[in-house]
Amino acid sequence: MGKSAPSSQTVTNKTELPEWVQEAGRKNLAASYDVSGNMLGPYTGQRVAGITPATENIVGNITQNAAMSQPAFAYAQQLAAQAGGYQPQQVQAGQLARTDLSQYMNPYTQAVLGTSLDVLNQQRLTGLNQAYDAAIKAKAFGGSRQAIQEGVVNAAAQQQAGQLAAQLMAQNYGQAQTAAQADITRAMEAQRLNQQAGLSGAQLGIQGAGALGQLAGAGQEAYMTGQTGALTAQSLLQAQQQAELDAAQQAYREAQQFPIQQLQIPIQALGATPYGQTNTQTGPGQQSSPLLTGLGAASSAVSILAGLASL
């Protein structure tokens, strides 16, 4: 006789929840599928506010005109260098001893002298005629007395002519010296004034170079101040646009999470509601704890909810 096969032992565990709990679970599961199927996807809207065309223009202007005052500064440096390197004119005193006085002599002196000598010569001739007449009257014509008288007349005429010529030439020479000395004085004064004018011009050049540099710096500073103000205004507009983008993204996330928050309410309410359950075991075997079974179901529901919330 063959041996009969050993009989297998079957253990059946059956846990029955109340119908209303099962119905609520089915509704929650269906709602979870609905939420997951209709849930909003990742946010695809604009996240960062872009740079406005006006901001790009301002930045471009600042970049292009950062060195706008450099040509003026370079020109100011050139003016300052030229003025600083000015060599004043040397004042040299003129000397009368080295001056040609012929150009200062009175050209009419010779004419005056010639006329005066002619007058003296006419007087000499008159004197000779008088001596000749006197000699005839004295019956001494041709004698030594007449010769002596003529010699006296001629000598006196020559002496007067010499004195007159010396006087006229001395006056002319003195007048020429005075005129030459006046020209020397005026020339020296002109040199001194030209030197002073050159130094004043150099000083004005330095002052003008400094003023040009200051004006160039002030102009660039004013320009940069205006551009900075405009850039600040554009930054405020960009900040406002960024705030609007952040608000739109936040509103999208709130709309995305709202169905999940709605789903959490019945799940949490079901997990917090106490209810009984029936545990039936057929055959030997380890019985499961009704409490652990209930907690496991609630834990599964919460895990599903957490998974949806993380999307």
Side-chain angles (χ1 to χ4, degrees):
M1 292 180 61
K3 294 182 180 180
S4 60
S7 60
S8 60
Q9 188 178 17
T10 302
V11 177
T12 303
N13 292 326
K14 182 179 181 182
T15 301
E16 293 183 357
L17 299 175
E19 180 61 27
W20 64 272
V21 174
Q22 296 182 24
E23 181 64 22
R26 287 191 292 269
K27 290 182 179 181
N28 289 338
L29 181 60
S32 299
Y33 286 138
D34 183 63
V35 169
S36 64
N38 297 287
M39 186 176 182
L40 296 176
Y43 183 72
T44 59
Q46 183 179 356
R47 298 173 182 264
V48 179
I51 299 178
T52 63
T55 302
E56 293 180 350
N57 290 335
I58 293 173
V59 174
N61 291 336
I62 293 176
T63 302
Q64 293 177 0
N65 297 293
M68 61 181 297
S69 61
Q70 289 304 314
F73 279 131
Y75 184 60
Q77 291 175 348
Q78 181 181 357
L79 291 179
Q82 292 176 353
Y86 171 75
Q87 296 296 329
Q89 178 182 357
Q90 298 297 321
V91 177
Q92 296 180 353
Q95 294 183 0
L96 184 62
R98 297 181 179 180
T99 303
D100 182 12
L101 298 180
S102 61
Q103 56 185 337
Y104 296 98
M105 300 293 286
N106 190 347
Y108 298 103
T109 300
Q110 292 296 333
V112 173
L113 179 60
T115 301
S116 299
L117 292 177
D118 289 342
V119 172
L120 288 176
N121 187 49
Q122 185 66 34
Q123 291 177 355
R124 183 183 68 82
L125 294 176
T126 301
L128 290 177
N129 289 332
Q130 291 176 352
Y132 179 78
D133 292 339
I136 293 177
K137 290 179 180 180
K139 297 182 180 182
F141 179 77
S144 59
R145 184 176 180 181
Q146 179 183 357
I148 292 173
Q149 187 67 28
E150 290 178 354
V152 171
V153 172
N154 288 329
Q158 290 177 356
Q159 183 180 6
Q160 289 179 356
Q163 291 176 350
L164 178 61
Q167 182 180 3
L168 290 176
M169 294 301 295
Q171 291 178 354
N172 192 13
Y173 185 77
Q175 189 177 23
Q177 282 186 322
T178 301
Q181 186 62 50
D183 281 351
I184 291 174
T185 302
R186 284 192 295 269
M188 186 174 180
E189 180 65 14
Q191 293 179 28
R192 188 186 67 80
L193 292 176
N194 289 335
Q195 183 187 59
Q196 184 177 359
L199 291 174
S200 299
Q203 184 65 30
L204 289 176
I206 294 176
Q207 294 177 356
L212 178 60
Q214 291 178 356
L215 289 174
Q220 183 170 17
E221 183 178 358
Y223 175 80
M224 294 300 293
T225 299
Q227 293 295 316
T228 301
L231 186 61
T232 300
Q234 290 298 319
S235 298
L236 293 176
L237 295 176
Q238 186 177 9
Q240 175 62 29
Q241 183 181 5
Q242 183 62 53
E244 293 175 358
L245 292 176
D246 292 342
Q249 184 177 7
Q250 180 62 29
Y252 182 86
R253 293 190 180 280
E254 291 176 358
Q256 186 184 50
Q257 294 296 320
F258 183 71
I260 300 176
Q261 295 172 357
Q262 287 181 313
L263 183 59
Q264 286 178 343
I265 295 175
I267 293 177
Q268 291 175 356
L270 180 61
T273 302
Y275 56 86
Q277 61 182 2
T278 303
N279 186 15
T280 303
Q281 180 176 355
T282 304
Q286 184 178 358
Q287 293 182 350
S288 61
S289 172
L291 177 60
L292 293 176
T293 303
L295 292 177
S299 177
S300 299
V302 173
S303 298
I304 294 173
L305 180 64
L308 293 174
S310 64
L311 296 178

mmCIF file of all heavy atoms in Angstrom, residues 175-212:
data_model
loop_
_atom_site.group_PDB
_atom_site.id
_atom_site.type_symbol
_atom_site.label_atom_id
_atom_site.label_comp_id
_atom_site.label_asym_id
_atom_site.label_seq_id
_atom_site.Cartn_x
_atom_site.Cartn_y
_atom_site.Cartn_z
ATOM 1 N N GLN A 175 71.130 167.219 -28.195
ATOM 2 C CA GLN A 175 69.755 166.845 -28.535
ATOM 3 C C GLN A 175 69.683 165.388 -29.014
ATOM 4 O O GLN A 175 68.741 164.650 -28.695
ATOM 5 C CB GLN A 175 69.240 167.802 -29.612
ATOM 6 C CG GLN A 175 67.761 167.659 -29.904
ATOM 7 C CD GLN A 175 67.295 168.701 -30.931
ATOM 8 O OE1 GLN A 175 68.116 169.214 -31.710
ATOM 9 N NE2 GLN A 175 66.020 169.014 -30.924
ATOM 10 N N ALA A 176 70.722 164.947 -29.776
ATOM 11 C CA ALA A 176 70.754 163.561 -30.244
ATOM 12 C C ALA A 176 70.922 162.594 -29.076
ATOM 13 O O ALA A 176 70.284 161.527 -29.028
ATOM 14 C CB ALA A 176 71.894 163.388 -31.249
ATOM 15 N N GLN A 177 71.759 162.934 -28.099
ATOM 16 C CA GLN A 177 71.926 162.089 -26.919
ATOM 17 C C GLN A 177 70.613 161.956 -26.138
ATOM 18 O O GLN A 177 70.249 160.870 -25.681
ATOM 19 C CB GLN A 177 73.018 162.659 -26.016
ATOM 20 C CG GLN A 177 74.431 162.380 -26.487
ATOM 21 C CD GLN A 177 75.447 162.850 -25.475
ATOM 22 O OE1 GLN A 177 75.284 163.904 -24.846
ATOM 23 N NE2 GLN A 177 76.520 162.088 -25.323
ATOM 24 N N THR A 178 69.949 163.090 -25.978
ATOM 25 C CA THR A 178 68.675 163.064 -25.233
ATOM 26 C C THR A 178 67.651 162.172 -25.929
ATOM 27 O O THR A 178 66.947 161.373 -25.284
ATOM 28 C CB THR A 178 68.123 164.489 -25.098
ATOM 29 O OG1 THR A 178 69.083 165.311 -24.419
ATOM 30 C CG2 THR A 178 66.814 164.480 -24.316
ATOM 31 N N ALA A 179 67.548 162.293 -27.247
ATOM 32 C CA ALA A 179 66.589 161.472 -27.998
ATOM 33 C C ALA A 179 66.971 159.995 -27.934
ATOM 34 O O ALA A 179 66.108 159.110 -27.776
ATOM 35 C CB ALA A 179 66.521 161.948 -29.443
ATOM 36 N N ALA A 180 68.276 159.699 -28.050
ATOM 37 C CA ALA A 180 68.709 158.302 -27.987
ATOM 38 C C ALA A 180 68.456 157.708 -26.607
ATOM 39 O O ALA A 180 68.002 156.561 -26.478
ATOM 40 C CB ALA A 180 70.197 158.215 -28.350
ATOM 41 N N GLN A 181 68.726 158.491 -25.562
ATOM 42 C CA GLN A 181 68.485 158.000 -24.203
ATOM 43 C C GLN A 181 66.993 157.754 -23.969
ATOM 44 O O GLN A 181 66.601 156.777 -23.304
ATOM 45 C CB GLN A 181 69.013 159.015 -23.188
ATOM 46 C CG GLN A 181 68.938 158.540 -21.736
ATOM 47 C CD GLN A 181 69.780 157.312 -21.491
ATOM 48 O OE1 GLN A 181 70.960 157.279 -21.866
ATOM 49 N NE2 GLN A 181 69.189 156.296 -20.883
ATOM 50 N N ALA A 182 66.167 158.594 -24.534
ATOM 51 C CA ALA A 182 64.718 158.390 -24.404
ATOM 52 C C ALA A 182 64.294 157.090 -25.089
ATOM 53 O O ALA A 182 63.470 156.320 -24.557
ATOM 54 C CB ALA A 182 63.970 159.583 -24.995
ATOM 55 N N ASP A 183 64.867 156.831 -26.271
ATOM 56 C CA ASP A 183 64.543 155.577 -26.959
ATOM 57 C C ASP A 183 65.034 154.364 -26.173
ATOM 58 O O ASP A 183 64.352 153.328 -26.101
ATOM 59 C CB ASP A 183 65.165 155.579 -28.360
ATOM 60 C CG ASP A 183 64.343 156.402 -29.350
ATOM 61 O OD1 ASP A 183 63.227 156.819 -28.977
ATOM 62 O OD2 ASP A 183 64.816 156.619 -30.486
ATOM 63 N N ILE A 184 66.223 154.471 -25.578
ATOM 64 C CA ILE A 184 66.750 153.362 -24.773
ATOM 65 C C ILE A 184 65.830 153.092 -23.578
ATOM 66 O O ILE A 184 65.515 151.934 -23.261
ATOM 67 C CB ILE A 184 68.182 153.690 -24.310
ATOM 68 C CG1 ILE A 184 69.134 153.686 -25.503
ATOM 69 C CG2 ILE A 184 68.638 152.694 -23.249
ATOM 70 C CD1 ILE A 184 70.549 154.136 -25.161
ATOM 71 N N THR A 185 65.384 154.157 -22.948
ATOM 72 C CA THR A 185 64.484 154.000 -21.795
ATOM 73 C C THR A 185 63.159 153.384 -22.215
ATOM 74 O O THR A 185 62.633 152.476 -21.553
ATOM 75 C CB THR A 185 64.240 155.369 -21.140
ATOM 76 O OG1 THR A 185 65.506 155.926 -20.737
ATOM 77 C CG2 THR A 185 63.334 155.230 -19.925
ATOM 78 N N ARG A 186 62.602 153.867 -23.323
ATOM 79 C CA ARG A 186 61.338 153.318 -23.797
ATOM 80 C C ARG A 186 61.488 151.849 -24.215
ATOM 81 O O ARG A 186 60.594 151.026 -23.969
ATOM 82 C CB ARG A 186 60.812 154.160 -24.967
ATOM 83 C CG ARG A 186 60.199 155.485 -24.548
ATOM 84 C CD ARG A 186 59.442 156.135 -25.701
ATOM 85 N NE ARG A 186 60.346 156.512 -26.793
ATOM 86 C CZ ARG A 186 60.930 157.706 -26.888
ATOM 87 N NH1 ARG A 186 60.719 158.633 -25.976
ATOM 88 N NH2 ARG A 186 61.727 157.982 -27.922
ATOM 89 N N ALA A 187 62.605 151.507 -24.861
ATOM 90 C CA ALA A 187 62.817 150.124 -25.275
ATOM 91 C C ALA A 187 62.927 149.197 -24.067
ATOM 92 O O ALA A 187 62.376 148.083 -24.054
ATOM 93 C CB ALA A 187 64.075 150.031 -26.143
ATOM 94 N N MET A 188 63.631 149.645 -23.039
ATOM 95 C CA MET A 188 63.757 148.826 -21.831
ATOM 96 C C MET A 188 62.413 148.668 -21.136
ATOM 97 O O MET A 188 62.060 147.584 -20.642
ATOM 98 C CB MET A 188 64.776 149.471 -20.892
ATOM 99 C CG MET A 188 65.097 148.637 -19.663
ATOM 100 S SD MET A 188 66.432 149.360 -18.692
ATOM 101 C CE MET A 188 66.540 148.154 -17.378
ATOM 102 N N GLU A 189 61.630 149.725 -21.092
ATOM 103 C CA GLU A 189 60.302 149.648 -20.484
ATOM 104 C C GLU A 189 59.399 148.722 -21.294
ATOM 105 O O GLU A 189 58.608 147.944 -20.724
ATOM 106 C CB GLU A 189 59.695 151.050 -20.400
ATOM 107 C CG GLU A 189 58.291 151.088 -19.781
ATOM 108 C CD GLU A 189 58.281 150.676 -18.325
ATOM 109 O OE1 GLU A 189 59.358 150.616 -17.698
ATOM 110 O OE2 GLU A 189 57.175 150.406 -17.810
ATOM 111 N N ALA A 190 59.539 148.782 -22.625
ATOM 112 C CA ALA A 190 58.740 147.887 -23.466
ATOM 113 C C ALA A 190 59.118 146.431 -23.217
ATOM 114 O O ALA A 190 58.247 145.544 -23.147
ATOM 115 C CB ALA A 190 58.926 148.248 -24.938
ATOM 116 N N GLN A 191 60.422 146.159 -23.075
ATOM 117 C CA GLN A 191 60.849 144.792 -22.777
ATOM 118 C C GLN A 191 60.294 144.326 -21.428
ATOM 119 O O GLN A 191 59.844 143.180 -21.281
ATOM 120 C CB GLN A 191 62.379 144.711 -22.763
ATOM 121 C CG GLN A 191 63.032 144.931 -24.121
ATOM 122 C CD GLN A 191 64.543 144.864 -24.030
ATOM 123 O OE1 GLN A 191 65.096 144.203 -23.167
ATOM 124 N NE2 GLN A 191 65.219 145.573 -24.937
ATOM 125 N N ARG A 192 60.335 145.208 -20.446
ATOM 126 C CA ARG A 192 59.814 144.849 -19.129
ATOM 127 C C ARG A 192 58.311 144.568 -19.177
ATOM 128 O O ARG A 192 57.824 143.591 -18.580
ATOM 129 C CB ARG A 192 60.104 145.978 -18.130
ATOM 130 C CG ARG A 192 59.781 145.622 -16.678
ATOM 131 C CD ARG A 192 59.954 146.843 -15.807
ATOM 132 N NE ARG A 192 58.963 147.858 -16.117
ATOM 133 C CZ ARG A 192 57.702 147.834 -15.679
ATOM 134 N NH1 ARG A 192 57.273 146.833 -14.925
ATOM 135 N NH2 ARG A 192 56.870 148.796 -16.003
ATOM 136 N N LEU A 193 57.584 145.404 -19.928
ATOM 137 C CA LEU A 193 56.141 145.192 -20.055
ATOM 138 C C LEU A 193 55.838 143.898 -20.821
ATOM 139 O O LEU A 193 54.896 143.164 -20.475
ATOM 140 C CB LEU A 193 55.494 146.391 -20.755
ATOM 141 C CG LEU A 193 55.501 147.698 -19.960
ATOM 142 C CD1 LEU A 193 54.923 148.832 -20.799
ATOM 143 C CD2 LEU A 193 54.718 147.547 -18.648
ATOM 144 N N ASN A 194 56.621 143.625 -21.869
ATOM 145 C CA ASN A 194 56.422 142.379 -22.611
ATOM 146 C C ASN A 194 56.715 141.163 -21.728
ATOM 147 O O ASN A 194 56.022 140.138 -21.812
ATOM 148 C CB ASN A 194 57.324 142.361 -23.848
ATOM 149 C CG ASN A 194 56.874 143.346 -24.904
ATOM 150 O OD1 ASN A 194 55.700 143.714 -24.960
ATOM 151 N ND2 ASN A 194 57.807 143.798 -25.736
ATOM 152 N N GLN A 195 57.740 141.265 -20.914
ATOM 153 C CA GLN A 195 58.043 140.172 -19.989
ATOM 154 C C GLN A 195 56.890 139.963 -19.011
ATOM 155 O O GLN A 195 56.468 138.831 -18.741
ATOM 156 C CB GLN A 195 59.334 140.477 -19.228
ATOM 157 C CG GLN A 195 59.765 139.357 -18.287
ATOM 158 C CD GLN A 195 60.949 139.774 -17.437
ATOM 159 O OE1 GLN A 195 60.857 140.743 -16.696
ATOM 160 N NE2 GLN A 195 62.053 139.039 -17.550
ATOM 161 N N GLN A 196 56.386 141.062 -18.467
ATOM 162 C CA GLN A 196 55.273 140.966 -17.533
ATOM 163 C C GLN A 196 54.028 140.401 -18.217
ATOM 164 O O GLN A 196 53.304 139.575 -17.640
ATOM 165 C CB GLN A 196 54.972 142.348 -16.948
ATOM 166 C CG GLN A 196 53.873 142.330 -15.891
ATOM 167 C CD GLN A 196 53.656 143.711 -15.284
ATOM 168 O OE1 GLN A 196 54.341 144.664 -15.641
ATOM 169 N NE2 GLN A 196 52.709 143.812 -14.367
ATOM 170 N N ALA A 197 53.788 140.833 -19.454
ATOM 171 C CA ALA A 197 52.630 140.315 -20.187
ATOM 172 C C ALA A 197 52.781 138.822 -20.463
ATOM 173 O O ALA A 197 51.815 138.043 -20.378
ATOM 174 C CB ALA A 197 52.453 141.085 -21.496
ATOM 175 N N GLY A 198 54.002 138.388 -20.802
ATOM 176 C CA GLY A 198 54.222 136.964 -21.032
ATOM 177 C C GLY A 198 53.997 136.139 -19.785
ATOM 178 O O GLY A 198 53.376 135.061 -19.832
ATOM 179 N N LEU A 199 54.486 136.625 -18.644
ATOM 180 C CA LEU A 199 54.280 135.910 -17.378
ATOM 181 C C LEU A 199 52.796 135.877 -17.015
ATOM 182 O O LEU A 199 52.287 134.851 -16.547
ATOM 183 C CB LEU A 199 55.083 136.583 -16.264
ATOM 184 C CG LEU A 199 56.612 136.452 -16.381
ATOM 185 C CD1 LEU A 199 57.303 137.291 -15.311
ATOM 186 C CD2 LEU A 199 57.032 134.995 -16.265
ATOM 187 N N SER A 200 52.112 136.991 -17.239
ATOM 188 C CA SER A 200 50.669 137.019 -16.967
ATOM 189 C C SER A 200 49.920 136.053 -17.881
ATOM 190 O O SER A 200 48.999 135.354 -17.449
ATOM 191 C CB SER A 200 50.125 138.442 -17.143
ATOM 192 O OG SER A 200 50.743 139.330 -16.234
ATOM 193 N N GLY A 201 50.342 136.005 -19.161
ATOM 194 C CA GLY A 201 49.702 135.073 -20.088
ATOM 195 C C GLY A 201 49.932 133.628 -19.681
ATOM 196 O O GLY A 201 49.017 132.793 -19.773
ATOM 197 N N ALA A 202 51.154 133.316 -19.213
ATOM 198 C CA ALA A 202 51.429 131.952 -18.760
ATOM 199 C C ALA A 202 50.575 131.602 -17.542
ATOM 200 O O ALA A 202 50.038 130.489 -17.427
ATOM 201 C CB ALA A 202 52.907 131.799 -18.434
ATOM 202 N N GLN A 203 50.441 132.553 -16.626
ATOM 203 C CA GLN A 203 49.615 132.316 -15.450
ATOM 204 C C GLN A 203 48.153 132.107 -15.831
ATOM 205 O O GLN A 203 47.470 131.219 -15.295
ATOM 206 C CB GLN A 203 49.744 133.504 -14.486
ATOM 207 C CG GLN A 203 48.994 133.333 -13.170
ATOM 208 C CD GLN A 203 49.544 132.206 -12.336
ATOM 209 O OE1 GLN A 203 50.734 131.911 -12.402
ATOM 210 N NE2 GLN A 203 48.689 131.558 -11.574
ATOM 211 N N LEU A 204 47.687 132.927 -16.773
ATOM 212 C CA LEU A 204 46.312 132.745 -17.250
ATOM 213 C C LEU A 204 46.142 131.396 -17.939
ATOM 214 O O LEU A 204 45.089 130.752 -17.830
ATOM 215 C CB LEU A 204 45.943 133.872 -18.210
ATOM 216 C CG LEU A 204 45.743 135.256 -17.589
ATOM 217 C CD1 LEU A 204 45.488 136.298 -18.670
ATOM 218 C CD2 LEU A 204 44.590 135.240 -16.588
ATOM 219 N N GLY A 205 47.187 130.958 -18.652
ATOM 220 C CA GLY A 205 47.116 129.645 -19.300
ATOM 221 C C GLY A 205 46.983 128.525 -18.288
ATOM 222 O O GLY A 205 46.197 127.586 -18.472
ATOM 223 N N ILE A 206 47.743 128.612 -17.189
ATOM 224 C CA ILE A 206 47.643 127.595 -16.137
ATOM 225 C C ILE A 206 46.264 127.627 -15.492
ATOM 226 O O ILE A 206 45.642 126.578 -15.252
ATOM 227 C CB ILE A 206 48.755 127.814 -15.098
ATOM 228 C CG1 ILE A 206 50.133 127.569 -15.735
ATOM 229 C CG2 ILE A 206 48.555 126.908 -13.888
ATOM 230 C CD1 ILE A 206 51.291 127.855 -14.814
ATOM 231 N N GLN A 207 45.779 128.834 -15.208
ATOM 232 C CA GLN A 207 44.445 128.944 -14.617
ATOM 233 C C GLN A 207 43.372 128.424 -15.573
ATOM 234 O O GLN A 207 42.430 127.738 -15.154
ATOM 235 C CB GLN A 207 44.162 130.396 -14.250
ATOM 236 C CG GLN A 207 45.059 130.932 -13.137
ATOM 237 C CD GLN A 207 44.809 132.398 -12.857
ATOM 238 O OE1 GLN A 207 44.018 133.064 -13.535
ATOM 239 N NE2 GLN A 207 45.493 132.939 -11.866
ATOM 240 N N GLY A 208 43.522 128.741 -16.865
ATOM 241 C CA GLY A 208 42.550 128.246 -17.841
ATOM 242 C C GLY A 208 42.580 126.737 -17.954
ATOM 243 O O GLY A 208 41.533 126.089 -18.078
ATOM 244 N N ALA A 209 43.775 126.147 -17.893
ATOM 245 C CA ALA A 209 43.877 124.690 -17.948
ATOM 246 C C ALA A 209 43.200 124.060 -16.740
ATOM 247 O O ALA A 209 42.483 123.060 -16.865
ATOM 248 C CB ALA A 209 45.347 124.278 -18.015
ATOM 249 N N GLY A 210 43.405 124.670 -15.555
ATOM 250 C CA GLY A 210 42.737 124.148 -14.363
ATOM 251 C C GLY A 210 41.222 124.271 -14.453
ATOM 252 O O GLY A 210 40.483 123.343 -14.085
ATOM 253 N N ALA A 211 40.760 125.421 -14.951
ATOM 254 C CA ALA A 211 39.312 125.608 -15.091
ATOM 255 C C ALA A 211 38.726 124.630 -16.105
ATOM 256 O O ALA A 211 37.632 124.081 -15.900
ATOM 257 C CB ALA A 211 39.009 127.046 -15.519
ATOM 258 N N LEU A 212 39.464 124.385 -17.190
ATOM 259 C CA LEU A 212 38.991 123.434 -18.200
ATOM 260 C C LEU A 212 38.888 122.036 -17.613
ATOM 261 O O LEU A 212 37.905 121.319 -17.856
ATOM 262 C CB LEU A 212 39.944 123.438 -19.398
ATOM 263 C CG LEU A 212 39.619 122.453 -20.528
ATOM 264 C CD1 LEU A 212 38.241 122.736 -21.111
ATOM 265 C CD2 LEU A 212 40.681 122.520 -21.616
#
